[in-house]
Amino acid sequence: MDTILSVKNLKKTFDGITAVDGCTLDVEKGTITGLIGPNGAGKTTLFNIITGFYKPDSGEIVFKNKKIDQLPTYKITHQGLVRTFQITKALNRMKVIENLMLSPKKQTGESLIWPIFNPKKVGKEEEEIRDKAMELLEFFDLMELKDEYAGALSGGQKKLLELARALMTDPDMILLDEVFAGVNPTLSNKLLDYIKELRDDGVTFFLIEHDIPLVMEACQEVYVMSEGKVIAKGEPEEIKNDQKVLDAYLGVVHEG
Amino acid sequence: MAIGISYIISLLILFGIYAIFALGLNLEWGFTGILNFGHVAFFGIGAYSTVILNQMGVPIYIAIVAGIIIAGLFGVLVALPAMRLRGDYFAIVTIGFSEIVRYFMLNEEWLTGGPLGLRDFDIPLSFVPSQYYNIAMLILVLALLALTYLILKALINSPWGRVLKSIREDEDVSKALGKNVFRYKIQSIALGSAIAGLAGILLAFNHKYLNPNYYMPLITFYAWIIVILGGSGNNKGTILGALIFWTFMSLTRFSPGYLPISSTDLGALRMVIIGLLLIVLMMYKPEGLLGNKEELKLDI
Amino acid sequence: MIQQLIFGIVTGSIIALGAIGLSMIYDILDLVNFAHGDFMTLGAYLTFLFNVSLNLNLILAAALGIILTGVISLILDKIMWKKLRDKGAGSITLLITAIGLALVIRNLIVFQWGGSNVGFDLPLSQNLNFHGIMISTSGVLTVVVAALLMIALDLILRKTKIGKAMRALSDNKNLARITGINVDNIILWTWGIGTSFAAVGGVLYGLNTVIRPDMGWFLLLPIFAAVILGGIGNPYGAMVGGLIIGISQEMSTIILPSSYKIAVSFVILILVMLIKPEGIFGEK
């Protein structure tokens, strides 16, 4: 199998506190790979670094054989790597359909000039984008909500919207930061089915998740982080029985 | 009666100019979420640039275009370093910039005429007989207001406007979806400032005179009040806000004859009412008079 | 050179008195109080009211004017700021409200006392001459009063319960709430201290120059510069920042036309924001 994302020896310190401390991992193409670990392990920080929200102090990130660790976020997205946020960020005062139509990259109409001087071309492109957005709304059962303001959606609907919005960028890989948190079990299963279906279509997923049974069911491979480092990797069954993991993580969960 | 009509015409000219000025701010604040408190600087820069260029011999219509472009470029110049500051800091830096511009106008007499200002410059439509000049000016101002509105409408409804709105809502999302947020903010300020420049140039033509006192920070707040009255992020609302604002300003200016009150006192009371209006709007109706309840309240 | 330095210290003391309150209110209430300069003006005019219109002696008049300004700020907190806080208004809503309030205060002053300059009823200020260096008595008074108030503030912050609570709240808002500090009470103290210091600054400004309705507005931007320079929420930083701004403004007159004085503070403000926005004493 091919590696799509490769993180080597990544480090990031804030005010003397090391959040990510020499993290190394690979994500295989076409998989759903999990990232678990106790709170404060540095998982979200790692996502923030991979997607360019923070610059790493040292280390290397390679995505599709291209170094991306010095690129700004928007260029990383253009490479085909997109993320969602731990706390859902709906664009509240924009309609659901607008949320989706925002995503596609390199839209002619995104320049200051063409909407005025070539409205025809922009209009035609808009129709194509709208059609694509409608397909996704269909796929995620959000069609009735298309003209609602995103701010009016329920928490679970916002999660779906965020995933759909990420898909509109035509990504090769999506980083999901606790996308199942706070979602009811029915929707959660539905979401997982969507993700598996998308995986079968060739999208790679790398997801942070606290719900261990869910991770065990969804992922082919799981990384475990603790104190900024990867302490274990393997198939769900191996991870379950790894003593280091039990010490660092599962122990905490059982106590809690 | 004739006085009444010419009074209404001059009121409408001011309404048109300030509506254009406020549309520029609404693009920045209402659609992009940029807290520009120095909008008046670009109003002044546009006007001074056009007049100075014209006095140096540049034909007036070319000078107008140049003035608009220079105002836009100064917008970029301020935004390039300041855009990475958080909102409240950006507000303070821009208000500081607008005051520096005003002090420059006051002090650099060789260029700006200092406190006496500038007069003797060409005025467009000078072929119109003087008794019809105001009407011609009004038509010009309203035509330019309509043009500005239509261009902004096309832009706001385009993918470009969609990106701006996403930045207003949450710029992390725009970045994560592959948008170069910095570039869009710069474009928003550049266009907003160019529009302010146009308004400033029109005001100079209307007064046939320029003076640093026209560019007090208070003028920026006029634009804010207009935008907030109409509901941030609503261009029609901004135009209506400008109409309400200038009607109010001039009705209270017109009444000294009827009220036992001096014009200074009246001016002060007028500003007290405007200040109270701003407070009451913020406390009870932050979405503005025309604000769209459905679009939720501005979560600012 | 020394002459400008002395002017600078006097101006800086006034700016510092304004900056302390602005900085504390900015931090504790999350309010960029664009009306703060107008509280300085209000303090000066209320003192003028008691002193000239009601014929009280200047010290008594100043005491009344300053206390009244502080009381007005407390009333305003009750009738507007608290309501906005309870609604969960964001910092930009608060900021725009403050601009509205600034317009109201400034123009009520114009309405009541007119737009032209007024002055306190006091004997002509003597100029003390030290080997050619001039210091006015009002200048000396300004520096002494400002220094005493700053020492008093330092004692309040370090020794009293309310002062310690203020610093705790400023350091860590969540922690302070959990530990049961009465936030509403601290907010009232912050307003009281902040605006009465501003009012003192306004009265001193009036003593040194004249009283005008727009004086506070023009002091506001140098005060912002001082606050940012000293780090938001750091009253000691605000004091030092005020002095630095005051001295830089006056020193600039050696090389620039004096009408650029205020512009100098904006330039410092902009530079600090761009280079070290957490302030010269701030740790990132």
Side-chain angles (χ1 to χ4, degrees), chain A residues 59-124:
Chain A
E60 195 183 56
I61 305 167
V62 175
F63 178 68
K64 294 198 299 184
N65 299 320
K66 196 175 168 201
K67 233 168 92 69
I68 58 165
D69 46 68
Q70 297 305 317
L71 294 182
T73 302
Y74 74 93
K75 284 192 178 161
I76 292 171
T77 307
H78 287 182
Q79 300 293 321
L81 175 59
V82 66
R83 71 172 296 179
T84 65
F85 294 92
Q86 186 176 6
I87 298 159
T88 35
K89 292 178 182 248
L91 302 167
N92 286 331
R93 284 173 298 164
M94 293 170 73
K95 297 188 170 162
V96 167
I97 185 90
E98 283 183 289
N99 265 261
L100 294 189
M101 290 179 71
L102 171 69
S103 296
K105 50 198 165 200
K106 307 216 162 78
Q107 300 183 32
T108 311
E110 285 181 347
S111 97
L112 195 45
I113 294 166
W114 300 124
I116 306 290
F117 294 101
N118 198 347
K120 237 186 195 156
K121 184 175 177 202
V122 172
K124 208 175 141 235

Coordinates of all heavy atoms in Angstrom, one line a residue, chain A residues 59-124:
Chain A
G59 N 11.0 19.1 12.2 CA 10.3 17.9 11.6 C 9.8 18.1 10.2 O 10.0 19.2 9.7
E60 N 9.2 17.1 9.7 CA 8.8 17.1 8.3 C 7.5 16.5 8.1 O 7.1 15.5 8.8 CB 9.9 16.4 7.5 CG 9.9 16.6 6.0 CD 10.9 15.8 5.3 OE1 10.8 14.5 5.4 OE2 11.7 16.3 4.6
I61 N 6.7 17.1 7.2 CA 5.4 16.5 6.8 C 5.4 16.4 5.3 O 5.6 17.3 4.6 CB 4.2 17.4 7.2 CG1 4.3 17.7 8.7 CG2 2.9 16.7 6.9 CD1 3.4 18.8 9.2
V62 N 5.1 15.1 4.8 CA 5.1 14.9 3.4 C 3.7 14.4 3.1 O 3.2 13.4 3.7 CB 6.2 13.9 3.0 CG1 6.0 13.5 1.5 CG2 7.6 14.4 3.3
F63 N 3.1 15.0 2.1 CA 1.7 14.6 1.7 C 1.8 14.4 0.2 O 2.2 15.2 -0.6 CB 0.7 15.7 2.0 CG -0.7 15.4 1.5 CD1 -1.4 14.3 2.1 CD2 -1.3 16.1 0.5 CE1 -2.7 14.0 1.7 CE2 -2.5 15.8 0.1 CZ -3.3 14.8 0.6
K64 N 1.4 13.2 -0.3 CA 1.5 12.8 -1.7 C 2.9 13.2 -2.2 O 3.0 13.8 -3.3 CB 0.4 13.5 -2.5 CG -1.0 13.0 -2.1 CD -2.0 13.4 -3.2 CE -2.1 14.9 -3.4 NZ -3.2 15.2 -4.4
N65 N 3.9 12.8 -1.5 CA 5.3 13.0 -1.9 C 5.8 14.4 -2.1 O 6.7 14.7 -2.7 CB 5.6 12.3 -3.3 CG 5.4 10.8 -3.2 OD1 5.7 10.2 -2.2 ND2 4.7 10.2 -4.2
K66 N 5.0 15.3 -1.4 CA 5.4 16.7 -1.4 C 5.5 17.2 0.0 O 4.6 16.9 0.8 CB 4.3 17.5 -2.2 CG 4.8 18.8 -2.6 CD 3.8 19.6 -3.5 CE 4.3 21.0 -3.5 NZ 3.6 22.0 -3.8
K67 N 6.6 17.9 0.2 CA 6.8 18.5 1.6 C 5.7 19.6 1.8 O 5.6 20.5 0.9 CB 8.2 19.1 1.7 CG 8.9 18.6 2.9 CD 10.4 19.0 2.8 CE 10.7 20.3 3.4 NZ 10.6 20.3 4.9
I68 N 5.0 19.6 2.8 CA 3.9 20.6 3.0 C 4.1 21.4 4.3 O 3.3 22.2 4.7 CB 2.5 20.0 3.0 CG1 2.4 18.9 4.1 CG2 2.1 19.5 1.6 CD1 0.9 18.6 4.4
D69 N 5.2 21.1 5.1 CA 5.2 21.6 6.5 C 5.4 23.1 6.5 O 5.3 23.8 7.5 CB 6.2 20.9 7.3 CG 7.5 20.7 6.6 OD1 8.2 21.6 6.4 OD2 7.8 19.5 6.3
Q70 N 5.9 23.7 5.4 CA 6.0 25.2 5.4 C 4.9 25.9 4.6 O 4.9 27.1 4.5 CB 7.4 25.6 4.8 CG 8.6 25.1 5.6 CD 8.5 25.5 7.1 OE1 8.2 26.6 7.4 NE2 8.8 24.5 8.0
L71 N 4.0 25.2 4.1 CA 2.9 25.8 3.3 C 1.8 26.4 4.2 O 1.5 25.9 5.3 CB 2.2 24.7 2.4 CG 3.1 24.1 1.3 CD1 2.2 23.2 0.5 CD2 3.7 25.2 0.4
P72 N 1.2 27.5 3.8 CA 0.0 28.0 4.5 C -1.2 27.1 4.3 O -1.2 26.3 3.3 CB -0.2 29.4 3.9 CG 0.4 29.3 2.5 CD 1.5 28.4 2.6
T73 N -2.1 27.2 5.2 CA -3.2 26.3 5.2 C -3.9 26.2 3.9 O -4.2 25.1 3.4 CB -4.3 26.8 6.3 OG1 -3.6 26.8 7.5 CG2 -5.5 25.9 6.4
Y74 N -4.2 27.3 3.3 CA -5.0 27.2 2.0 C -4.3 26.5 0.9 O -4.9 25.8 0.1 CB -5.4 28.6 1.6 CG -4.4 29.5 0.9 CD1 -4.2 29.5 -0.4 CD2 -3.5 30.3 1.7 CE1 -3.2 30.3 -1.0 CE2 -2.6 31.1 1.1 CZ -2.4 31.1 -0.2 OH -1.4 31.9 -0.8
K75 N -2.9 26.5 0.9 CA -2.2 25.8 -0.1 C -2.2 24.3 0.2 O -2.2 23.5 -0.7 CB -0.8 26.3 -0.2 CG -0.7 27.6 -0.9 CD 0.7 28.0 -1.3 CE 0.8 29.3 -2.0 NZ 2.1 29.9 -2.0
I76 N -2.2 24.0 1.5 CA -2.3 22.5 1.8 C -3.6 22.0 1.4 O -3.7 20.9 0.8 CB -2.1 22.4 3.4 CG1 -0.7 22.8 3.7 CG2 -2.4 21.0 3.8 CD1 -0.4 22.9 5.2
T77 N -4.7 22.8 1.6 CA -6.0 22.3 1.1 C -6.0 22.1 -0.4 O -6.6 21.2 -0.9 CB -7.1 23.4 1.5 OG1 -7.0 23.6 2.9 CG2 -8.5 22.9 1.2
H78 N -5.3 23.0 -1.1 CA -5.2 22.9 -2.6 C -4.5 21.6 -3.0 O -4.7 21.1 -4.0 CB -4.5 24.1 -3.2 CG -5.4 25.3 -3.2 ND1 -5.0 26.5 -3.7 CD2 -6.7 25.5 -2.7 CE1 -6.0 27.4 -3.6 NE2 -7.0 26.8 -2.9
Q79 N -3.6 21.1 -2.1 CA -2.9 19.8 -2.4 C -3.9 18.6 -2.2 O -3.5 17.5 -2.6 CB -1.7 19.6 -1.4 CG -0.7 20.7 -1.5 CD 0.1 20.7 -2.8 OE1 0.4 19.6 -3.3 NE2 0.4 21.9 -3.3
G80 N -5.0 18.8 -1.6 CA -6.0 17.7 -1.5 C -6.1 17.2 0.0 O -6.5 16.1 0.2
L81 N -5.6 18.0 0.9 CA -5.7 17.6 2.3 C -6.5 18.6 3.1 O -6.2 19.8 3.1 CB -4.2 17.6 2.9 CG -4.1 17.3 4.4 CD1 -4.7 15.9 4.8 CD2 -2.7 17.3 4.8
V82 N -7.7 18.2 3.6 CA -8.6 19.1 4.2 C -9.0 18.6 5.6 O -8.8 17.4 5.9 CB -9.8 19.3 3.3 CG1 -10.6 18.1 3.2 CG2 -10.7 20.5 3.8
R83 N -9.4 19.5 6.5 CA -9.7 19.1 7.8 C -11.1 19.5 8.2 O -11.7 20.4 7.6 CB -8.7 19.7 8.8 CG -9.0 21.2 8.9 CD -8.2 21.9 10.0 NE -8.5 21.4 11.3 CZ -8.0 21.8 12.4 NH1 -7.0 22.7 12.4 NH2 -8.4 21.3 13.6
T84 N -11.6 19.0 9.3 CA -12.8 19.5 10.0 C -12.3 19.9 11.4 O -11.2 19.6 11.8 CB -13.9 18.5 10.1 OG1 -13.5 17.4 10.9 CG2 -14.3 18.0 8.7
F85 N -13.2 20.6 12.1 CA -12.8 21.1 13.4 C -13.4 20.4 14.6 O -14.6 19.9 14.4 CB -13.1 22.6 13.5 CG -12.3 23.5 12.5 CD1 -12.8 23.7 11.3 CD2 -11.0 23.9 12.9 CE1 -12.0 24.5 10.4 CE2 -10.3 24.7 12.0 CZ -10.8 25.0 10.7
Q86 N -12.7 20.4 15.7 CA -13.2 19.7 16.9 C -14.5 20.3 17.3 O -15.5 19.6 17.6 CB -12.2 19.8 18.0 CG -12.5 19.0 19.2 CD -11.4 19.1 20.2 OE1 -10.4 19.8 20.1 NE2 -11.6 18.3 21.3
I87 N -14.6 21.6 17.4 CA -15.8 22.3 17.7 C -16.3 22.7 16.3 O -15.7 23.5 15.6 CB -15.6 23.5 18.6 CG1 -15.0 23.0 19.9 CG2 -16.9 24.3 18.8 CD1 -14.3 24.0 20.7
T88 N -17.5 22.2 15.9 CA -17.9 22.5 14.5 C -18.0 24.0 14.3 O -18.5 24.8 15.1 CB -19.3 21.9 14.3 OG1 -20.1 22.0 15.5 CG2 -19.3 20.5 13.8
K89 N -17.5 24.3 13.1 CA -17.6 25.7 12.7 C -18.5 25.8 11.5 O -18.0 25.7 10.4 CB -16.1 26.2 12.4 CG -15.2 26.2 13.6 CD -13.8 26.7 13.2 CE -12.9 26.7 14.3 NZ -12.4 28.0 14.7
A90 N -19.7 26.1 11.8 CA -20.6 26.4 10.6 C -20.5 27.8 10.3 O -20.1 28.6 11.2 CB -22.1 26.1 11.0
L91 N -20.6 28.2 9.1 CA -20.6 29.6 8.7 C -22.1 30.1 8.9 O -22.9 30.0 8.0 CB -20.2 29.8 7.2 CG -18.8 29.2 7.0 CD1 -18.5 29.1 5.5 CD2 -17.7 30.0 7.7
N92 N -22.3 30.5 10.1 CA -23.7 30.7 10.6 C -24.6 31.5 9.7 O -25.8 31.1 9.5 CB -23.7 31.3 12.0 CG -23.3 30.3 13.1 OD1 -23.5 29.1 12.9 ND2 -22.7 30.7 14.1
R93 N -24.2 32.6 9.3 CA -25.1 33.5 8.6 C -25.0 33.3 7.1 O -25.1 34.2 6.3 CB -24.8 35.0 8.9 CG -25.4 35.3 10.3 CD -25.0 36.7 10.7 NE -23.6 36.8 10.9 CZ -22.9 37.9 11.0 NH1 -23.5 39.0 10.9 NH2 -21.6 37.9 11.2
M94 N -24.6 32.1 6.7 CA -24.6 31.7 5.3 C -25.5 30.5 5.2 O -25.6 29.7 6.1 CB -23.2 31.4 4.8 CG -22.3 32.6 4.8 SD -20.6 32.2 4.5 CE -20.6 31.8 2.7
K95 N -26.2 30.4 4.0 CA -27.1 29.3 3.9 C -26.3 28.0 3.7 O -25.1 28.0 3.3 CB -28.0 29.5 2.7 CG -28.9 30.7 2.9 CD -30.0 30.9 1.9 CE -30.9 32.0 2.4 NZ -31.7 32.6 1.4
V96 N -27.0 26.9 4.0 CA -26.3 25.6 3.8 C -25.7 25.4 2.5 O -24.6 25.0 2.3 CB -27.4 24.4 4.1 CG1 -26.8 23.1 3.7 CG2 -27.7 24.5 5.6
I97 N -26.5 25.7 1.4 CA -26.0 25.6 0.1 C -24.7 26.5 -0.2 O -23.8 26.1 -0.8 CB -27.1 25.8 -1.0 CG1 -26.6 25.5 -2.4 CG2 -27.6 27.2 -0.9 CD1 -26.9 24.1 -2.8
E98 N -24.8 27.7 0.4 CA -23.6 28.6 0.3 C -22.4 28.0 1.0 O -21.3 28.1 0.5 CB -23.9 30.0 0.9 CG -24.8 30.9 0.1 CD -25.0 32.2 0.8 OE1 -25.6 32.2 1.9 OE2 -24.4 33.2 0.4
N99 N -22.6 27.4 2.1 CA -21.5 26.7 2.9 C -20.8 25.8 1.9 O -19.6 25.7 1.9 CB -22.1 26.0 4.1 CG -22.0 26.8 5.4 OD1 -21.1 26.6 6.2 ND2 -22.9 27.7 5.5
L100 N -21.6 25.0 1.2 CA -21.0 24.0 0.3 C -20.4 24.6 -0.9 O -19.3 24.2 -1.3 CB -22.1 23.0 -0.1 CG -22.7 22.1 1.0 CD1 -23.5 21.0 0.4 CD2 -21.6 21.5 1.9
M101 N -21.0 25.6 -1.5 CA -20.5 26.2 -2.7 C -19.3 27.0 -2.5 O -18.5 27.3 -3.5 CB -21.6 27.0 -3.4 CG -22.8 26.2 -3.9 SD -24.1 27.2 -4.6 CE -23.3 27.7 -6.1
L102 N -19.0 27.3 -1.2 CA -17.8 28.0 -1.0 C -16.5 27.2 -1.3 O -15.5 27.7 -1.7 CB -17.8 28.4 0.5 CG -16.5 29.0 1.1 CD1 -16.2 30.4 0.6 CD2 -16.6 29.0 2.7
S103 N -16.6 25.9 -1.0 CA -15.4 25.0 -1.0 C -14.6 24.8 -2.3 O -13.4 24.9 -2.2 CB -15.8 23.6 -0.5 OG -16.3 23.7 0.8
P104 N -15.2 24.6 -3.4 CA -14.4 24.2 -4.6 C -13.3 25.2 -4.8 O -13.4 26.4 -4.7 CB -15.4 24.2 -5.7 CG -16.7 23.9 -5.1 CD -16.7 24.6 -3.8
K105 N -12.1 24.6 -5.1 CA -10.9 25.5 -5.3 C -10.9 26.0 -6.7 O -11.5 25.6 -7.6 CB -9.7 24.7 -5.0 CG -9.5 23.4 -5.6 CD -8.4 22.6 -4.9 CE -8.5 21.1 -5.3 NZ -7.9 20.2 -4.4
K106 N -10.1 27.1 -6.9 CA -9.9 27.7 -8.2 C -11.2 28.1 -8.9 O -11.4 27.8 -10.1 CB -9.0 26.8 -9.1 CG -7.7 26.4 -8.3 CD -6.5 26.3 -9.3 CE -5.2 26.3 -8.6 NZ -4.8 25.1 -7.9
Q107 N -12.1 28.7 -8.2 CA -13.3 29.2 -8.9 C -13.0 30.5 -9.6 O -12.4 31.4 -9.0 CB -14.4 29.4 -7.8 CG -14.8 28.2 -7.0 CD -16.0 28.5 -6.1 OE1 -16.9 29.3 -6.3 NE2 -15.9 27.8 -4.9
T108 N -13.4 30.6 -10.9 CA -13.2 31.8 -11.6 C -13.8 33.0 -10.9 O -13.2 34.1 -10.9 CB -13.9 31.6 -13.0 OG1 -13.5 30.4 -13.6 CG2 -13.4 32.8 -13.9
G109 N -15.0 32.8 -10.4 CA -15.7 33.9 -9.8 C -15.1 34.4 -8.4 O -15.6 35.3 -7.8
E110 N -14.0 33.7 -8.0 CA -13.5 34.2 -6.7 C -12.5 35.4 -6.9 O -12.0 35.9 -5.9 CB -12.7 33.0 -6.1 CG -13.6 32.0 -5.4 CD -12.9 30.9 -4.8 OE1 -11.7 30.7 -5.0 OE2 -13.5 30.1 -4.0
S111 N -12.3 35.8 -8.1 CA -11.5 37.0 -8.3 C -12.4 38.2 -8.3 O -13.6 38.1 -8.4 CB -10.7 36.9 -9.6 OG -11.4 37.6 -10.6
L112 N -11.7 39.3 -8.1 CA -12.5 40.6 -8.0 C -12.9 41.0 -9.4 O -13.8 41.9 -9.5 CB -11.5 41.6 -7.4 CG -12.0 42.9 -6.8 CD1 -13.2 42.7 -6.0 CD2 -10.9 43.6 -6.0
I113 N -12.3 40.5 -10.4 CA -12.5 41.0 -11.8 C -13.6 40.2 -12.5 O -14.5 40.8 -13.1 CB -11.2 40.9 -12.5 CG1 -10.2 41.9 -11.9 CG2 -11.4 41.3 -14.0 CD1 -8.8 41.7 -12.3
W114 N -13.5 38.9 -12.5 CA -14.4 38.1 -13.4 C -15.9 38.2 -13.1 O -16.7 38.2 -14.1 CB -13.9 36.7 -13.5 CG -12.5 36.6 -14.1 CD1 -11.4 36.1 -13.5 CD2 -12.0 37.3 -15.3 NE1 -10.3 36.3 -14.2 CE2 -10.6 37.0 -15.3 CE3 -12.6 38.0 -16.3 CZ2 -9.8 37.5 -16.4 CZ3 -11.8 38.5 -17.3 CH2 -10.5 38.2 -17.4
P115 N -16.3 38.3 -11.9 CA -17.8 38.4 -11.7 C -18.3 39.6 -12.4 O -19.5 39.6 -12.8 CB -17.9 38.6 -10.1 CG -16.7 38.0 -9.6 CD -15.6 38.2 -10.6
I116 N -17.5 40.7 -12.6 CA -18.0 41.9 -13.3 C -17.8 41.7 -14.8 O -18.7 42.1 -15.6 CB -17.2 43.1 -12.8 CG1 -17.3 43.3 -11.3 CG2 -17.7 44.4 -13.5 CD1 -18.6 43.6 -10.7
F117 N -16.7 41.2 -15.2 CA -16.3 41.3 -16.6 C -16.6 40.0 -17.4 O -16.7 40.0 -18.6 CB -14.9 41.7 -16.8 CG -14.6 43.1 -16.4 CD1 -14.0 43.3 -15.1 CD2 -15.0 44.2 -17.2 CE1 -13.8 44.6 -14.7 CE2 -14.8 45.5 -16.7 CZ -14.2 45.7 -15.5
N118 N -16.8 38.9 -16.7 CA -17.2 37.7 -17.4 C -18.3 36.9 -16.6 O -18.1 35.8 -16.2 CB -16.0 36.8 -17.6 CG -16.3 35.8 -18.7 OD1 -17.4 35.6 -19.1 ND2 -15.2 35.1 -19.2
P119 N -19.4 37.6 -16.3 CA -20.4 37.0 -15.5 C -21.0 35.7 -16.1 O -21.4 34.8 -15.4 CB -21.5 38.0 -15.4 CG -21.3 39.0 -16.5 CD -19.8 38.9 -16.8
K120 N -20.9 35.5 -17.4 CA -21.4 34.3 -18.1 C -20.6 33.1 -17.6 O -21.2 32.1 -17.2 CB -21.3 34.5 -19.6 CG -22.6 34.3 -20.2 CD -22.5 34.3 -21.7 CE -23.9 34.5 -22.3 NZ -23.8 35.1 -23.7
K121 N -19.3 33.2 -17.7 CA -18.5 32.1 -17.3 C -18.7 31.8 -15.9 O -18.8 30.6 -15.5 CB -17.0 32.4 -17.6 CG -16.1 31.3 -17.4 CD -14.6 31.5 -17.8 CE -13.8 30.3 -17.4 NZ -12.4 30.7 -17.3
V122 N -18.7 32.8 -15.0 CA -18.8 32.6 -13.6 C -20.2 31.9 -13.3 O -20.3 31.0 -12.6 CB -18.8 34.0 -12.8 CG1 -19.1 33.8 -11.4 CG2 -17.4 34.6 -13.0
G123 N -21.2 32.4 -14.0 CA -22.5 31.8 -13.8 C -22.6 30.4 -14.2 O -23.2 29.6 -13.5
K124 N -21.9 30.0 -15.3 CA -21.9 28.6 -15.7 C -21.2 27.7 -14.7 O -21.7 26.7 -14.3 CB -21.2 28.5 -17.1 CG -21.7 27.4 -17.9 CD -21.1 27.4 -19.3 CE -20.8 25.9 -19.7 NZ -19.5 25.7 -20.1

